[in-house]
Amino acid sequence: MDNREFLDRLIAAENVEEVRAALADYRENPNVDLVPFGRRDNNRGAIEVASDPARSAIERVTNAHDAILEYEHSQHGGKPKSGSPREAAAHWLGVPMKGGLSALGPGDRQRLAAETVVRLEEAEGWQSRLLTVIDRGTGIAPDQMEGTILSLNESNKIQKHYLAGTYGQGGSSTLVFSKYVLIVSRAAESDEIAFTVIWYQDLPADQYKTGRYVYLTRDGGLLVAKARDGDPERGTVVKHFGYDLSGYTSSIGPKSLYGALQRVLFDPVAPIRFENQVHGWNRTIKGSRNALNGAVDDGDEGSGKGPDIDYRLPTFNVSLGDHGEIGVEYWVLSRKLKKDGKPSNEAPSRAFVDNTKPIVLTHNGQNQGEITGRLIQKDADLFYLQKQGRLIVHVNCDRLSPQAKRMLFSSTREQWREGFIQSTIQEEIISLLKADDELRRLNEKARDESLRDKDDAAEKQIQRQVARLLRITGPAVAEVGGAAASNAGDDKPKGGGGESKPPEPIEPSDPPTFVRIVADPDKPIKFHAGQRRMVRLETDANSDYHDPDDPAKNRLNVIVGDDLGVYATSPIIGGRFRIGVRAKTEIALGSSGSIRVELYRPGATTLSDEREYSIVEQPKPKEGQRKNPFPQFRFEPVGGPDDENWLYVAGDAEDRDVRRHASSAEMTSEGVLIVYYSTAFPRFANERRKLEQRSPAMALSFEQRYKLWLAVHALLKHEDEEASAEEVADEEVAAEMGRQERCRLAAMAAMMAAQEVKSGISEDDTDDAAVA
């Protein structure tokens, strides 16, 4: 069999068996040999670094985009010079720096997407799909393949800032999920096609500890065939036979390859065409960020106008000092409605991100890490926005310093590293979210909606019962009632919960006629030590007058007193923008100064506005509003491992054993104890099912009493933890002991609650029953 016939059989192959048969026939030829991938006999460690087949497939997409940019670089002679893949896409592909793919029309996105195709085919089933990645890039010559796409940790891209590739993995992590991988490439303006097949080779166990990945050669080199009419004129095809996608069995949504492509390619430099031949449809993948910003293509879900957004903060550039800067933007999605017009419990963020990890960090547009929603829910005090799955936060890390990127990102791009940079970024996100008044207003509104969605009378009754139980069992707690309790337990927001419409855009004028600080001119803006505030500004200048991404072009100057510093700015959108102002941590009370903004107009006088500021003492809670020694608490049922909140019960979403996890609790910075309880915990589920067969009312009463006992235990445990000043020597051991204790307590609570219901004890007698 000659090389051309072998290539044609491989290109036409639709499953693993056809590849295996073609290989068997071809290997009867003389001088056919197997070479270890990367020319390393022991190559498993370098290849088997990934755990997610979808993320690994996206590495092939990254290589495809690099190949396209490499081709454009050669066509344009490297001009203009591009310092990043995004700049290269702007210079050579016409993708605007401002707005990215969302600033292109559907036709332009479709045209660019045709250059990179991901095709999913049936083959043997979800555990053994045929996945093909095709690009019309620069292609690879036969003598270059071993140093590029068949290499490990080579440095062929390390000096090319216009490409995303850095670590020299060559997309090799896809090999572990495949039975065979065919790579075919034709360099631009070449009449030769280079190709080979890669697979895992088992070695004799009595001689070797492990096998290795190998590829096919002949006569000491790569397989080469002459191109003919009908062959692509340039580019690379990578066909993965037997690709394991058993974790991505849906057509669309979070558990689909399509959803993973949108989520991980959060803001790609170029779009791709996704051909789903398993379900019979094609889509343009432009990334979740561009979909959130209103980009709509043929076949997209929804009404054709993009998602409904209640609020959006455009990119806010935050300086990290010597570590560079990050760009933070976020969206608050509208709640979905059911057919009857009532709000749905479905998290709208699921269409764009993992809604349990809605904070996405990107580098060169690719998702490099995600932060759990606990940061939004607990640290930023936006419990209800996270509960409803409506807030998505994007952190652009492109402008971090090289050292900071090294400290933050891993070579697999699957997860970020914990450490100083990670902690700093999280602190900046928390500060930004907590400083946004509109987010707080929307959270309070969501709180009102949540209270309307359910009857809270039962939980208030449980709070009274818990208070009585705790008074009897020992801990000193404040009386539930009176001014302190009523303020602490008031579920109604103190203002800000009413409806408000976004302000109308300000009509731009050139030259502009005004710039103003949105604050009362007769009252100073107050800061206390270490406080951060967003200062709002308005102007009729167009967006070119202030570009946070290019300070050299700015015509805006912000001057603050010695007590303050400017740490972040946002672009002008609709005549409105913001500056982040931070007070120093060591500062004298009573000092004052001014915040001044100046807008330079070419050939005209400078526009300006100014407001006074004053440094005040950090406010203390008013009498009757101090933190109540008896904290408020809230119950959150979790329906088992498939529930999006299972992470909060188990601590690890991958741990799906319902017998091991009954409940958990955490205290928010607002002093509210949230008790998560698993409705799939066997002792609870069995008792409730038995009582439901007798009477729905008995089952409801049982669950309320069960929650009462969990709350008592959670509050006692929280008090013990706060009272203890000793550090736990082994945190893992302590966590395991705590988990076991909660399971034992839950089993006891289910037993006690069931006995109380069956014996007919009234709610008013619950505290006496507990003592007995």
Side-chain angles (χ1 to χ4, degrees), residues 90-368:
H91 293 154
W92 307 327
L93 300 179
V95 180
M97 285 290 290
K98 297 293 183 184
L101 296 178
S102 62
L104 292 177
D108 288 331
R109 283 196 296 270
Q110 188 175 3
R111 173 182 56 80
L112 285 176
E115 301 291 295
T116 307
V117 176
V118 175
R119 183 179 298 139
L120 180 65
E121 298 177 71
E122 183 78 30
E124 295 87 357
W126 282 113
Q127 78 287 355
S128 185
R129 291 294 193 212
L130 174 54
L131 181 69
T132 307
V133 180
I134 306 166
D135 73 68
R136 295 189 70 252
T138 190
I140 310 171
D143 60 349
Q144 295 178 335
M145 282 189 72
E146 286 199 336
T148 54
I149 201 167
L150 298 176
S151 69
L152 288 172
N153 308 121
E154 294 292 340
S155 58
N156 50 78
K157 295 181 181 180
I158 199 168
Q159 291 183 299
K160 297 180 178 181
H161 293 283
Y162 57 90
L163 302 181
T166 302
Y167 302 108
Q169 291 295 114
S172 60
S173 62
T174 60
L175 302 180
V176 69
F177 302 105
S178 310
K179 293 184 172 66
Y180 295 98
V181 176
L182 167 66
I183 298 179
V184 183
S185 193
R186 180 180 181 179
E189 301 180 358
S190 171
D191 63 352
E192 289 186 328
I193 298 175
F195 70 101
T196 191
V197 182
I198 311 160
W199 68 92
Y200 181 76
Q201 179 190 38
D202 284 312
L203 296 174
D206 59 337
Q207 300 177 46
Y208 298 92
K209 291 182 177 180
T210 183
R212 61 186 181 178
Y213 293 89
V214 296
Y215 59 86
L216 201 62
T217 63
R218 186 174 183 181
D219 298 323
L222 267 293
L223 311 184
V224 179
K226 286 292 183 181
R228 61 190 181 195
D229 293 343
D231 289 335
E233 60 184 29
R234 67 176 186 277
T236 301
V237 176
V238 183
K239 292 186 71 172
H240 304 85
F241 295 90
Y243 202 73
D244 186 354
L245 285 171
S246 53
Y248 293 90
T249 56
S250 299
S251 173
I252 59 175
K255 292 297 184 181
S256 70
L257 182 59
Y258 168 76
L261 288 168
Q262 285 278 47
R263 186 174 69 251
V264 180
L265 291 172
F266 191 79
D267 185 23
V269 298
I272 67 174
R273 177 177 169 84
F274 180 58
E275 299 179 355
N276 188 335
Q277 297 190 5
V278 176
H279 297 101
W281 50 260
N282 305 323
R283 299 274 171 82
T284 298
I285 301 284
K286 66 270 188 181
S288 289
R289 178 180 184 267
N290 296 290
L292 285 164
N293 286 339
V296 178
D297 294 292
D298 290 343
D300 286 355
E301 296 79 27
S303 58
K305 63 177 182 63
D308 291 326
I309 305 291
D310 284 345
Y311 175 54
R312 180 200 170 198
L313 179 79
T315 302
F316 208 70
N317 289 329
V318 181
S319 172
L320 302 185
D322 293 339
H323 299 292
E325 68 178 34
I326 56 174
V328 182
E329 60 183 337
Y330 44 80
W331 302 260
V332 178
L333 297 161
S334 303
R335 293 187 75 182
K336 291 187 175 183
L337 299 178
K338 296 185 288 188
K339 292 182 179 180
D340 60 5
K342 294 181 179 179
S344 168
N345 290 327
E346 182 182 352
S349 59
R350 281 172 59 91
F352 305 97
V353 295
D354 178 346
N355 60 296
T356 66
K357 300 175 182 178
I359 304 173
V360 178
L361 286 83
T362 65
H363 182 226
N364 291 327
Q366 184 171 329
N367 181 330
Q368 301 271 350

Side-chain angles (χ1 to χ4, degrees), residues 338-553:
K338 296 185 288 188
K339 292 182 179 180
D340 60 5
K342 294 181 179 179
S344 168
N345 290 327
E346 182 182 352
S349 59
R350 281 172 59 91
F352 305 97
V353 295
D354 178 346
N355 60 296
T356 66
K357 300 175 182 178
I359 304 173
V360 178
L361 286 83
T362 65
H363 182 226
N364 291 327
Q366 184 171 329
N367 181 330
Q368 301 271 350
E370 298 161 329
I371 304 176
T372 174
R374 286 191 180 190
L375 186 142
I376 295 172
Q377 192 172 52
K378 182 179 179 183
D379 299 319
D381 294 335
L382 298 171
F383 177 87
Y384 288 97
L385 287 181
Q386 170 58 20
K387 180 184 177 184
Q388 293 179 354
R390 294 169 56 198
L391 180 58
I392 297 173
V393 181
H394 171 219
V395 183
N396 185 335
C397 299
D398 289 356
R399 297 171 69 177
L400 285 174
S401 68
Q403 181 186 17
K405 291 178 183 178
R406 183 179 64 82
M407 294 169 66
L408 186 64
F409 298 131
S410 67
S411 61
T412 64
R413 296 190 179 100
E414 284 202 7
Q415 191 51 270
W416 62 337
R417 293 192 181 98
E418 295 183 0
F420 171 75
I421 298 297
Q422 178 213 37
S423 298
T424 301
I425 289 175
Q426 289 192 162
E427 289 171 4
E428 294 295 345
I429 295 169
I430 293 167
S431 296
L432 193 59
L433 296 179
K434 293 185 77 168
D436 194 326
D437 295 337
E438 182 63 10
L439 282 182
R440 192 149 305 280
R441 185 192 74 80
L442 288 168
N443 187 66
E444 289 173 345
K445 182 181 177 184
R447 182 181 184 177
D448 281 349
E449 292 172 349
S450 179
L451 291 175
R452 286 196 299 266
D453 289 346
K454 66 179 182 179
D455 181 10
D456 62 320
E459 289 196 4
K460 290 182 178 178
Q461 174 70 4
I462 288 182
Q463 288 182 343
R464 290 193 292 270
Q465 294 172 4
V466 170
R468 290 200 300 270
L469 280 169
L470 288 174
R471 284 201 303 275
I472 291 170
T473 55
V477 298
E479 289 291 329
V480 179
S486 93
N487 283 332
D490 187 1
D491 284 323
K492 303 298 181 185
K494 307 297 187 294
E499 298 290 339
S500 70
K501 296 181 179 179
E504 293 293 329
I506 297 171
E507 189 69 27
S509 174
D510 200 8
T513 62
F514 73 90
V515 62
R516 57 176 170 250
I517 298 173
V518 183
D520 189 338
D522 298 324
K523 296 180 180 179
I525 301 174
K526 295 180 181 179
F527 289 88
H528 58 74
Q531 184 182 14
R532 303 184 187 199
R533 297 194 63 162
M534 284 189 187
V535 178
R536 301 171 185 266
L537 299 100
E538 295 179 344
T539 181
D540 59 353
N542 63 47
S543 59
D544 295 338
Y545 276 74
H546 176 54
D547 184 354
D549 294 330
D550 192 353
K553 296 180 180 179

Side-chain angles (χ1 to χ4, degrees), residues 16-31:
V16 169
E17 286 305 318
E18 291 179 3
V19 176
R20 190 174 288 132
L23 276 170
D25 292 343
Y26 185 77
R27 293 180 70 181
E28 293 179 358
N29 290 319
N31 301 322

